[in-house]
Amino acid sequence: MKVVHINKGDTGGGASVAVSRIHSALLKAGVESTIVVEQKRTSAPGVVATSGNAWERAKDMVNFIKERLLILPHERHSSMRYNFSIASDGRDISTMPEVADADIIHLHWINQGYLSMKSLQRLADLGKPIVWTLHDMWPFTGGCHYAGTCLEFNEHCGYCPFLRDKGGNDLSARLFKAKRQTYEKMSLTAVSCSQWLNTQASSSSLFHKRTTVSIPNPIDTDVFRPLDKKECRRRLGLPEDKKLLLFGAAKVGDLRKGYRYLVEALRIIGNSFPAVSSHIELVVFGKVDKDSSEISEDFKVHDMNFVNDTETLVSLYNAADAFVLPSLQDNLPNTVVESLACGTPVVGFRIGGVPEMVIHGKTGYLAEPKNSLSLANGIYAMMFFDPERQRQDVVSHARRLFGEETVAKQYIEVYENALRGNGSK
């Protein structure tokens, strides 16, 4: 069985991490797997770039800029610029040997000028089974990556809250119609990384007649594993005598990541338990804005910047006493899987796929959404919990749910069903 994965990139962002791990798990299970990306930025085996020279890379940039410019007159606010994609411009990859020779075309995250609706149409015309792993809601909405409280996608998008000129035939309505026309010609199976997203997808009018399943992202538990905490702290230059709370995001200031709720939670702890708060320090990795790095005078922040190598990332999770995820909307975050596999409990809001990953009170704490006090209680509970018993429970839970062999078997079953033509309900 030959499978070709199609994703915007091989590094940077949760989808890139996820597709690389799925690819690795499938290779170990004996599946011929290849990843096709816009531009290859790593030395990982089995990854092929659609852009091999400077001219092609320049065209990729033009596609990206053109799409952003087309959205500009319609966007309601600049903060939402990257929360909405229209797939107006992209590459035709249907003639690539890796695609032409594949038995299964496996789509992942294809936005920001990589594939257009015409690109998807050309893939559909090949007549091959298409499996689409949903890393967000974009495949079944009129353009947004996360719909928030909007449920228009259940019937037909329009009156989009992301657009300034929203209406019955706005940009979201037109893209939704284009998707419907393209999907009608696809033998399509949708895979969600969480039951939460699977429920959203299966209730949407674009996917409700399609086979939709839920398969978590895998992780190599031989790499992400428990290590000696003190040794990891010494290696990273972090204090050995403090309670360390870890937070990470590609862009810390992204409103969806809920950083302000973390700030408020830490201030609550500082005001309510000043003796305890003096022992807590925050460790942050990712792009940190100047404003978001300032929490309060009571908490020291260790800014680790972008972490590009796995060894450092594993050490960070092991150095921490807890990992906090105050996201307001999320699917199945890789950071949660990574933290659990290292034996570090997770504190997060009860949103999206997080409740499927964290056992409340055992492998972490599920706080009430948008409730800083509840988040503060969770941080306090996990930071001063029984660390040894907790670590064993967390690691066992992660290996059972997210182990490579477990996930690979589920994907192989999806591929086999797709080849038998079981792409519709």
Side-chain angles (χ1 to χ4, degrees), residues 160-424:
C160 179
F162 286 89
L163 305 177
R164 69 167 70 176
D165 51 354
K166 59 184 179 180
N169 193 39
D170 63 16
L171 194 60
S172 70
R174 298 195 295 273
L175 180 56
F176 195 89
K177 181 179 179 180
K179 287 183 179 181
R180 187 186 300 280
Q181 293 172 343
T182 300
Y183 295 170
E184 285 176 353
K185 300 178 181 179
M186 282 185 179
S187 173
L188 178 63
T189 301
V191 178
S192 298
C193 302
S194 67
Q195 288 290 350
W196 167 78
L197 189 59
N198 186 57
T199 299
Q200 303 296 315
S202 61
S203 64
S204 71
S205 64
L206 289 179
F207 283 173
H208 78 281
K209 292 183 179 180
R210 302 289 184 172
T211 296
T212 59
V213 298
S214 176
I215 302 176
N217 294 328
I219 195 164
D220 187 342
T221 54
D222 290 330
V223 174
F224 287 87
R225 67 197 190 280
L227 300 175
D228 183 81
K229 187 181 296 292
K230 289 186 177 181
E231 177 58 32
C232 288
R233 292 187 177 191
R234 284 194 289 268
R235 188 182 306 139
L236 296 168
L238 295 171
E240 298 179 35
D241 60 342
K242 299 291 184 178
K243 290 287 185 178
L244 298 183
L245 179 64
L246 183 64
F247 170 77
K251 185 179 180 182
V252 173
D254 185 344
L255 295 178
R256 187 170 59 85
K257 296 301 180 181
Y259 189 78
R260 73 179 185 88
Y261 292 97
L262 172 58
V263 173
E264 291 172 3
L266 289 176
R267 285 174 177 161
I268 289 171
I269 293 174
N271 292 331
S272 302
F273 308 101
V276 169
S277 66
S278 64
H279 295 285
I280 299 176
E281 296 184 2
L282 183 66
V283 181
V284 178
F285 65 92
K287 183 180 179 181
V288 180
D289 299 329
K290 181 180 179 181
D291 293 339
S292 63
S293 64
E294 299 174 2
I295 289 186
S296 74
E297 297 179 356
D298 300 322
F299 291 93
K300 182 174 181 178
V301 180
H302 302 271
D303 182 3
M304 309 302 292
N305 299 310
F306 276 111
V307 178
N308 294 317
D309 67 289
T310 302
E311 184 179 354
T312 300
L313 191 59
V314 172
S315 294
L316 273 173
Y317 287 118
N318 276 280
D321 294 286
F323 177 78
V324 62
L325 183 97
S327 295
L328 307 180
Q329 274 194 304
D330 232 322
N331 181 15
L332 190 133
N334 290 315
T335 51
V336 173
V337 180
E338 292 163 354
S339 183
L340 295 175
C342 292
T344 302
V346 174
V347 181
F349 289 132
R350 193 184 295 272
I351 55 92
V354 178
E356 302 166 37
M357 310 169 74
V358 175
I359 301 176
H360 182 67
K362 188 173 183 180
T363 65
Y365 190 99
L366 296 171
E368 293 307 308
K370 297 184 178 181
N371 188 324
S372 300
L373 177 58
S374 182
L375 190 67
N377 289 336
I379 293 171
Y380 181 84
M382 289 298 105
M383 296 288 275
F384 297 94
F385 196 50
D386 180 352
E388 288 308 315
R389 182 172 67 84
Q390 172 183 274
R391 177 175 256 203
Q392 294 171 5
D393 291 340
V394 171
V395 172
S396 176
H397 172 68
R399 289 177 175 172
R400 185 176 67 255
L401 290 185
F402 311 117
E404 288 183 307
E405 184 177 352
T406 299
V407 174
K409 285 181 178 179
Q410 294 176 73
Y411 266 113
I412 291 171
E413 183 178 354
V414 167
Y415 296 152
E416 291 174 344
N417 284 332
L419 289 169
R420 287 194 290 265
N422 300 332
S424 299

Side-chain angles (χ1 to χ4, degrees), residues 125-137:
D125 290 342
L126 295 175
K128 297 176 183 288
I130 294 178
V131 173
W132 199 337
T133 292
L134 314 181
H135 298 280
D136 56 32
M137 300 174 73

Side-chain angles (χ1 to χ4, degrees), residues 20-247:
S20 297
R21 290 174 180 173
I22 294 169
H23 167 67
S24 176
L26 290 172
L27 288 175
K28 292 177 183 179
V31 175
E32 291 188 57
S33 177
T34 305
I35 306 176
V36 172
V37 298
E38 185 179 68
Q39 297 176 25
K40 183 176 180 178
R41 302 184 186 279
T42 70
S43 59
V47 180
V48 179
T50 56
S51 303
N53 56 51
W55 171 245
E56 290 176 333
R57 290 193 290 273
K59 288 196 294 185
D60 292 335
M61 181 57 69
V62 169
N63 286 338
F64 170 76
I65 293 173
K66 185 177 179 182
E67 180 174 298
R68 294 302 101 193
L69 291 175
L70 288 173
I71 293 175
L72 200 60
H74 303 279
E75 66 182 24
R76 186 166 65 85
H77 192 271
S78 60
S79 64
M80 300 179 177
R81 185 160 300 163
Y82 295 100
N83 295 329
F84 195 97
S85 299
I86 59 175
S88 58
D89 295 87
R91 304 295 296 268
D92 176 13
I93 63 171
S94 62
T95 59
M96 290 184 66
E98 292 78 12
V99 177
D101 294 342
D103 300 307
I104 298 284
I105 296 174
H106 192 153
L107 299 175
H108 291 269
W109 203 86
I110 49 87
N111 300 115
Q112 292 189 355
Y114 185 36
L115 297 190
S116 65
M117 291 309 301
K118 288 183 179 179
S119 307
L120 291 176
Q121 181 62 63
R122 291 191 175 106
L123 291 177
D125 290 342
L126 295 175
K128 297 176 183 288
I130 294 178
V131 173
W132 199 337
T133 292
L134 314 181
H135 298 280
D136 56 32
M137 300 174 73
W138 186 86
F140 57 86
T141 71
C144 67
H145 291 277
Y146 283 95
T149 58
C150 177
L151 297 175
E152 292 292 324
F153 62 86
N154 284 335
E155 296 184 10
H156 191 289
C157 279
Y159 301 95
C160 179
F162 286 89
L163 305 177
R164 69 167 70 176
D165 51 354
K166 59 184 179 180
N169 193 39
D170 63 16
L171 194 60
S172 70
R174 298 195 295 273
L175 180 56
F176 195 89
K177 181 179 179 180
K179 287 183 179 181
R180 187 186 300 280
Q181 293 172 343
T182 300
Y183 295 170
E184 285 176 353
K185 300 178 181 179
M186 282 185 179
S187 173
L188 178 63
T189 301
V191 178
S192 298
C193 302
S194 67
Q195 288 290 350
W196 167 78
L197 189 59
N198 186 57
T199 299
Q200 303 296 315
S202 61
S203 64
S204 71
S205 64
L206 289 179
F207 283 173
H208 78 281
K209 292 183 179 180
R210 302 289 184 172
T211 296
T212 59
V213 298
S214 176
I215 302 176
N217 294 328
I219 195 164
D220 187 342
T221 54
D222 290 330
V223 174
F224 287 87
R225 67 197 190 280
L227 300 175
D228 183 81
K229 187 181 296 292
K230 289 186 177 181
E231 177 58 32
C232 288
R233 292 187 177 191
R234 284 194 289 268
R235 188 182 306 139
L236 296 168
L238 295 171
E240 298 179 35
D241 60 342
K242 299 291 184 178
K243 290 287 185 178
L244 298 183
L245 179 64
L246 183 64
F247 170 77

